[in-house]
Amino acid sequence: MATLITPKYFSPVEDAENIKKACLGLGTDENAIISILGHRNATQRKLIRLAYEEIYNEDLIQQLNSELCGDFERAICHWTLDPADRDATLANNALKSSTPDYRVIIEIACVQSAEDLLAVKRAYRFRFKRSLEEDVASCTTGNMRKLLVGVVSAYRCEGNEIDENMAELEANIIDDEIKGKGLKNNEEMIRIVSTRSKPQLHATFNRYRDIHATSITKGLIGDSSDEYLAALRTVIRCIRDPKKYYAKVLRNAMNTDRVDKDGISRVIVTRAEKDLKEIMEMYLKRNNISLEEAVSREIGGDYKAFLLALLGIDQPLNLKD
């Protein structure tokens, strides 16, 4: 379930005018901007952008870029974009980083539906004048390239049909490659995870566990510096249980010497209209602290207020020292 809270009454013209008022004068009224954009769904935000451009002949995203700064500016600008355009932007940022973050590419490719992934790829081509597959291939080599281009290029069947015989066969193929240490040239593993439907892959993962009494990801444990193995485990986790995966991303983002604010923003901004409520419940169960408490402790200012709004909490929590 979504955590986003939207009002019963909505006027894109009024919202556009109030955002403009918040940007006028000596200082920006960040609270006013949060109170509007932090409570509008994707369709409403699109209408606000259109109204803002029509009234003021200005782009709302550019206005926000000029008025805001830092983590807050990045988070609210990503939120205000259309979901497909936002994911395209996140993918491009991940690839052009000095240390590419392949998790972002895998999340987009493996959590999204086939149609949503296609929309992201169209938005990417329109915005950056190149295909996502092209940029992924240019940033990777070897098995990493085969895996990431494979999952990004996929158009998985959305049906619920399962072939149990195929699940057993491919579970054993995967086991042969793992036990044979064939991970340096495991085209079959890549073929399976990048082409099969998600229900079929769930059946294969479950059959693997039934036969071998362990999960595939545990079988793929190896050198911690092996980026390919880490990416392959991420692909499997994103397909098998994306909510559990995202809860772990949040936990890892919080439990570091330097809080990974980009990771926190990415999960909250991309899941607030989808399944963030269940992710929050899983986070609480696994960490003995609510996500809203963790955000309040680790993050401050307008950035915290905005993230809490997306979590469905407008007032900062009163935490004990």
Side-chain angles (χ1 to χ4, degrees):
M1 291 178 62
T3 55
L4 181 68
I5 299 173
T6 58
K8 293 181 179 179
Y9 172 77
F10 163 70
S11 168
V13 172
E14 287 184 14
D15 283 349
E17 291 174 342
N18 286 330
I19 291 173
K20 186 64 174 180
K21 289 177 184 176
C23 296
L24 296 175
L26 296 177
T28 304
D29 187 349
E30 289 87 354
N31 288 332
I33 294 174
I34 293 170
S35 70
I36 297 169
L37 294 177
H39 294 282
R40 302 294 186 270
N41 61 35
T43 300
Q44 293 169 336
R45 298 193 303 274
K46 183 174 183 177
L47 292 173
I48 293 169
R49 293 198 313 274
L50 293 173
Y52 195 94
E53 185 172 4
E54 183 175 347
I55 296 169
Y56 302 108
N57 196 30
E58 296 174 352
D59 181 76
L60 177 56
I61 302 294
Q62 292 181 3
Q63 180 73 62
L64 294 172
N65 277 328
S66 66
E67 294 291 333
L68 309 174
C69 63
D71 298 309
F72 174 48
E73 177 265 326
R74 285 192 295 276
I76 203 164
C77 286
H78 284 154
W79 172 252
T80 307
L81 288 169
D82 284 336
D85 203 17
R86 175 178 64 222
D87 284 348
T89 301
L90 289 171
N92 184 258
N93 290 341
L95 290 173
K96 71 181 184 182
S97 172
S98 58
T99 303
D101 189 347
Y102 300 126
R103 296 175 306 166
V104 178
I105 307 302
I106 295 168
E107 290 166 14
I108 292 169
C110 296
V111 177
Q112 304 273 27
S113 69
E115 284 298 320
D116 286 344
L117 175 57
L118 185 59
V120 173
K121 292 192 286 187
R122 286 171 176 160
Y124 194 98
R125 179 178 289 277
F126 180 81
R127 177 176 278 266
F128 301 109
K129 312 307 178 187
R130 300 180 303 277
S131 72
L132 178 56
E133 295 93 331
E134 180 183 358
D135 280 359
V136 167
S138 69
C139 292
T140 53
T141 59
N143 271 345
M144 181 69 86
R145 175 184 288 170
K146 293 177 185 177
L147 177 64
L148 295 187
V149 172
V151 295
V152 167
S153 302
Y155 188 89
R156 300 180 192 274
C157 174
E158 296 289 332
N160 293 318
E161 295 82 4
I162 293 173
D163 185 332
E164 293 290 353
N165 291 330
M166 182 186 294
E168 181 166 352
L169 173 65
E170 295 189 335
N172 285 323
I173 289 173
I174 290 172
D175 186 60
D176 287 343
E177 291 202 342
I178 291 174
K179 288 182 177 178
K181 303 302 180 184
L183 293 173
K184 291 184 178 180
N185 187 28
N186 60 332
E187 292 185 0
E188 285 296 283
M189 173 98 70
I190 294 172
R191 174 189 64 80
I192 291 166
V193 300
S194 64
T195 62
R196 296 302 184 198
S197 70
K198 291 177 182 177
Q200 183 65 42
L201 286 171
H202 288 164
T204 299
F205 298 158
N206 290 338
R207 193 69 188 119
Y208 183 96
R209 185 186 59 227
D210 292 342
I211 296 171
H212 305 289
T214 188
S215 68
I216 292 177
T217 51
K218 288 183 179 178
L220 292 170
I221 297 298
D223 186 349
S224 61
S225 65
D226 190 325
E227 288 187 327
Y228 168 66
L229 281 182
L232 190 54
R233 290 194 297 271
T234 300
V235 168
I236 293 168
R237 287 166 177 155
C238 282
I239 293 171
R240 185 177 60 194
D241 193 340
K243 298 182 184 70
K244 181 179 178 181
Y245 165 79
Y246 282 122
K248 187 172 183 178
V249 170
L250 289 168
R251 181 181 65 190
N252 291 340
M254 298 287 186
N255 297 337
T256 59
D257 294 335
R258 184 177 181 182
V259 175
D260 178 9
K261 294 180 180 178
D262 285 340
I264 295 168
S265 287
R266 188 175 75 251
V267 175
I268 294 176
V269 166
T270 60
R271 310 313 297 179
E273 296 180 86
K274 297 181 178 180
D275 52 9
L276 187 53
K277 188 174 181 62
E278 291 90 343
I279 293 169
M280 291 173 68
E281 291 170 354
M282 193 168 291
Y283 184 92
L284 173 60
K285 182 177 180 180
R286 291 179 174 273
N287 298 280
N288 295 318
I289 182 174
S290 68
L291 180 57
E292 55 267 34
E293 284 184 285
V295 167
S296 292
R297 287 181 176 179
E298 301 294 344
I299 295 171
D302 298 316
Y303 180 42
K304 176 179 77 172
F306 176 61
L307 293 183
L308 289 177
L310 298 189
L311 291 174
I313 299 167
D314 278 327
Q315 297 299 320
L317 300 177
N318 293 320
L319 299 174
K320 297 180 180 179
D321 294 332

